[in-house]
Amino acid sequence: MLTACGGKGSEKQGDIPTKRIPTRGDSIALAARFTGDFEHFLAVTDSLAAIGELSPIRADGYRGVAYFQMGQMDKCIECFRRVVAIENPPAEDFWDYIHAGTNLVIMLTTDRDYDNAMHTALRLIDKLKEVDTPYRSGELQTLYLSLGDTQMMLERHKEAAQSYDEAYKWVLQTRNDSTNRPIAASIETLENIAVSYLHHKMDEAGVWVDRMDSLVTIYEQQPKPIEKEVKTLRALVMLHRAQVCQMRGKVADAYRYYAEYSSTDFGQSIEGRINGCDYLVAAHRYSEASDNYIHLDQFIKDWGYDYNLETIGRNLLPKLRANYNAGRKDSALHVAMQISEVYDTALVRQKRSESAELATIYDTQGKERQIAEQRAQNRFVTSISLALGIVAVLVLAFALYIFLQWRITQRRNRILAQQISQAVEYKEKYRELKAATRAAETAKIEEAAKAPEQTIEESPEQVQDSETVTETEVPEKENVGASISISDVTTITDEQLFLFLRDLIENEKLFLQPDFGRQSLIERTGLSKERIGAAFAQGSDSVSLPAYVRELRLDYAVRLMNSQPDLNVEQVSQASGFTSADTFTRNFRTKYGMTPTTYKQTNYHE
């Protein structure tokens, strides 16, 4: 009684109460509401507001509920909008303000007005963040749920996941009471998130079904759980598990879960059979879905729904597909005729609803709103003109910037292409000089070998030793590139062996073979992979064999592109020993800082 009369002793968070405090006017209004006569409830609300027993925020909140129950959604939304339009609600009406705003977000989301729903939800969330009380957790989980739903419908899946995670955080902070209403509402929040992921065929649905299952288990352990509600929630868990398993391709598990669901009291009810149609259609069990959809009209009637555009898309179109795929052409034709009949009515009803909403806005705001709109329109035109001017300047500046960047890039590419060509040309000249030097040294050795034999007599043992030393220290020219055994190179250093292998690879152009590698050298020379690895590690400044071969191929590719510019990148890559054009392009960009195509184009334009 003390609470109903605006009683004493309630704790407050600053000026805002820690929870909603009912007044005497609330008690009278709620008594009228629970009669089920919502026109009477609306009349009582208006009377209480007229005599000052209900504040404007509480009165419009009750009016919105009344209009919702009477099916007048346009007036319902307008009432809630009037509440949210108040920038700084009185402290004693703060929770009524938040509750009306939450209802508005739900209505806007259902009405597919996602932009306004998101803005309203974020505004209410910011206000709730300023209040530290357990009472806010229920409102916050609903707001984050609606925010996530709007983001999901707008394909902003990452943001939706973050909003859903926030909703779950507030679910965990929601305190239950003796009525078990808070925990039941939290389970409904988790189910809505799971259904949202299921509708978008996203695997995250399984996580939310598991969370829903865990919370249902906690609900079952409460002192006085509502048995029928627990059974319904448990049935829904089984249905959603069937949908998740079907989505993941676990057909047998899905079949088992749905069998358990369909054996429950809820699963056998009209609502339960209609809910199960989503799984049946996904599982291609069209005949069973068609049997369940027979009860759709009765379900719509019992729940007081209308065949609006949402109902047509959510129920009639799946019913049409189920009957058609089940081979029930007559039933499918009947549903198609029903859709064509109710579509026009639904469309007209939506247009009327929009017109009624505009009329309501005009009636409530009057001429002042027209003047404000006209001023706003003038400001809007001015702002648009200014914005267009700024955008034009920015576009021009951006275009100039892009052009300058292009010029700089072209100049940089020309310089880089010249450097690449010069570097490869230098390497080629160095190899030619090295080959000429080696040829001269070989000629000297051959001349020395042809000198007159010594006249001094030598013993047979000395002659044999001299021949052995000559064979070891001066390999014959024709044996370069022939198979070498380990015993032949025991006295050769790693540096000498590297020079030998380098000459072999370069002179015989082994690097142009796509499959050339260490195994090729092993088969060619008879050396071990350890000996070859040591030669390249110690004799070439720690350059590995693959890196050395890759360097030779890139140099060859540059020379080839310079000498034969008509060849395309694919042909150059094949001729240079690369396994693919992608591999060639990747290695060329890594070494030279530009792609082969850019290099060719730069040289061609020069």
Side-chain angles (χ1 to χ4, degrees), residues 3-229:
T3 301
C5 297
K8 316 290 183 183
S10 63
E11 297 180 3
K12 294 190 174 185
Q13 175 69 31
D15 292 333
I16 298 175
T18 56
K19 62 181 180 178
R20 182 180 186 274
I21 301 177
T23 65
R24 181 173 53 193
D26 290 321
S27 300
I28 298 173
L30 290 175
R33 174 184 177 181
F34 292 138
T35 63
D37 185 349
F38 292 101
E39 290 186 357
H40 172 64
F41 172 44
L42 184 61
V44 170
T45 298
D46 291 339
S47 299
L48 291 170
I51 63 176
E53 287 292 335
L54 283 178
S55 67
I57 288 179
R58 298 191 185 214
D60 273 330
Y62 288 143
R63 291 187 186 106
V65 172
Y67 283 128
F68 176 81
Q69 295 293 341
M70 294 162 64
Q72 300 181 32
M73 301 306 173
D74 52 340
K75 293 184 179 180
C76 168
I77 292 176
E78 181 58 27
C79 289
F80 291 144
R81 275 180 171 159
R82 283 201 299 266
V83 174
V84 176
I86 300 173
E87 186 64 30
N88 296 307
E92 62 273 13
D93 292 336
F94 178 80
W95 295 110
D96 293 271
Y97 169 86
I98 293 294
H99 190 63
T102 303
N103 287 335
L104 176 60
V105 171
I106 295 172
M107 296 293 296
L108 292 174
T109 304
T110 304
D111 209 30
R112 299 185 180 182
D113 188 357
Y114 301 128
D115 187 58
N116 285 326
M118 289 177 61
H119 286 302
T120 305
L122 290 171
R123 180 181 172 188
L124 295 173
I125 288 171
D126 287 340
K127 288 187 176 295
L128 282 170
K129 286 180 179 179
E130 300 173 358
V131 182
D132 186 13
T133 169
Y135 190 72
R136 66 176 178 169
S137 58
E139 301 288 349
L140 279 170
Q141 64 172 277
T142 304
L143 287 171
Y144 276 115
L145 167 64
S146 299
L147 183 61
D149 288 343
T150 60
Q151 292 163 336
M152 186 69 77
M153 295 303 296
L154 295 173
E155 301 298 327
R156 294 158 64 171
H157 296 158
K158 185 176 181 180
E159 296 177 21
Q162 294 174 349
S163 297
Y164 287 152
D165 287 339
E166 283 292 324
Y168 183 58
K169 182 182 78 173
W170 292 107
V171 163
L172 297 179
Q173 296 184 36
T174 300
R175 296 181 181 178
N176 196 28
D177 57 28
S178 59
T179 66
N180 287 321
R181 288 292 84 216
I183 192 171
S186 297
I187 294 173
E188 183 179 354
T189 296
L190 299 183
E191 189 206 3
N192 286 335
I193 297 174
V195 170
S196 178
Y197 277 118
L198 285 169
H199 284 168
H200 287 80
K201 296 181 174 55
M202 298 173 70
D203 194 61
E204 290 87 343
V207 175
W208 293 96
V209 174
D210 291 340
R211 290 174 175 176
M212 177 186 174
D213 190 6
S214 299
L215 203 56
V216 171
T217 301
I218 295 175
Y219 185 14
E220 291 174 329
Q221 298 170 355
Q222 297 302 304
K224 294 180 180 180
I226 303 175
E227 184 177 354
K228 182 178 179 180
E229 188 172 50

Side-chain angles (χ1 to χ4, degrees), residues 338-359:
Q338 185 181 11
I339 292 174
S340 65
E341 290 175 1
V342 301
Y343 179 78
D344 288 339
T345 303
L347 192 60
V348 170
R349 183 182 294 115
Q350 179 169 323
K351 295 297 183 183
R352 286 178 179 174
S353 176
E354 293 173 355
S355 299
E357 181 177 354
L358 292 175

